[in-house]
Amino acid sequence: MTRIEDIFTASRVVGSHPPIDWDPLVESDALQEAGLLDCRVCPITGRIGLLLDMRTSLQYRTGNAGLLVVRGMRLFRWSEEALERDLLNFAIVSSNPSALSKGWRLDCSLFPDGELSVEGIAADFYLLNASEVPESPPDFSERRFDQARQDLPWWDSSCSVVEWSTTSLVPENR
């Protein structure tokens, strides 16, 4: 087992992980209903990390967490309607990946009212099983973040890779 943070900071995770069936790096709406938990932008390494709660995802029956790593960062854009709120779970309504002449991009619409765009040279997606995460996502109402976080996959969670995909290995005919 490794930590989710270790996958984000590694130059590339290699191993005998099976390829993912429904690939969010090439297929629109593959991330539909996944929860966006956290975003990391690391200027030192030129990486973006999107930490996802996959327990509510429509497309995946295995894995409770997801990590999308964009290498060679070119763009990170977040916007949301400013709402009075304590904690709010953003769910991905639509995800649209696109191959660029020199890279890769993902545009996501989020519920209730957010948008996220990331772009870089390449991307990797890891479907993960984070340990010690309950079967159901937490109820965010009337909870503080430190109370809800214990029921979420997080950067310090131990995990195993269930499936993965990368833009550098995507066949041309896909």
Side-chain angles (χ1 to χ4, degrees):
M1 286 218 147
T2 187
R3 295 177 320 136
I4 294 174
E5 172 82 20
D6 297 334
I7 296 172
F8 175 65
T9 59
S11 59
R12 176 164 270 152
V13 176
V14 294
S16 59
H17 315 296
I20 200 158
D21 290 329
W22 190 264
D23 191 345
L25 301 180
V26 295
E27 298 183 58
S28 292
D29 295 330
L31 295 175
Q32 196 170 27
E33 296 301 321
L36 179 63
L37 298 175
D38 197 27
C39 304
R40 289 233 172 136
V41 176
C42 184
I44 294 172
T45 60
R47 285 195 195 124
I48 300 165
L50 304 180
L51 182 58
L52 305 168
D53 189 336
M54 302 303 285
R55 294 174 289 182
T56 54
S57 170
L58 296 180
Q59 309 304 338
Y60 304 97
R61 299 293 172 245
T62 60
N64 57 15
L67 177 64
L68 195 146
V69 179
V70 179
R71 292 177 278 108
M73 171 179 58
R74 291 188 181 135
L75 170 77
F76 176 87
R77 187 179 74 225
W78 169 267
S79 66
E80 71 173 270
E81 182 66 33
L83 304 170
E84 287 189 37
R85 61 181 167 97
D86 291 318
L87 299 179
L88 182 64
N89 182 26
F90 279 93
I92 297 175
V93 176
S94 69
S95 59
N96 295 301
S98 53
L100 307 173
S101 62
K102 293 184 180 178
W104 180 84
R105 180 182 177 108
L106 179 69
D107 295 298
C108 294
S109 294
L110 306 159
F111 178 83
D113 191 16
E115 294 196 9
L116 171 68
S117 296
V118 293
E119 184 179 314
I121 294 171
D124 302 311
F125 177 76
Y126 303 93
L127 184 60
L128 307 168
N129 267 332
S131 61
E132 300 179 24
V133 174
E135 203 170 304
S136 299
D139 177 5
F140 288 102
S141 62
E142 300 183 27
R143 291 178 86 182
R144 295 185 326 260
F145 179 67
D146 61 330
Q147 295 168 325
R149 190 179 97 62
Q150 67 190 9
D151 294 334
L152 296 170
W154 206 250
W155 298 100
D156 59 354
S157 297
S158 294
C159 68
S160 58
V161 176
V162 177
E163 297 175 338
W164 76 293
S165 66
T166 181
T167 57
S168 60
L169 295 178
V170 174
E172 292 298 322
N173 61 357
R174 227 173 141 183

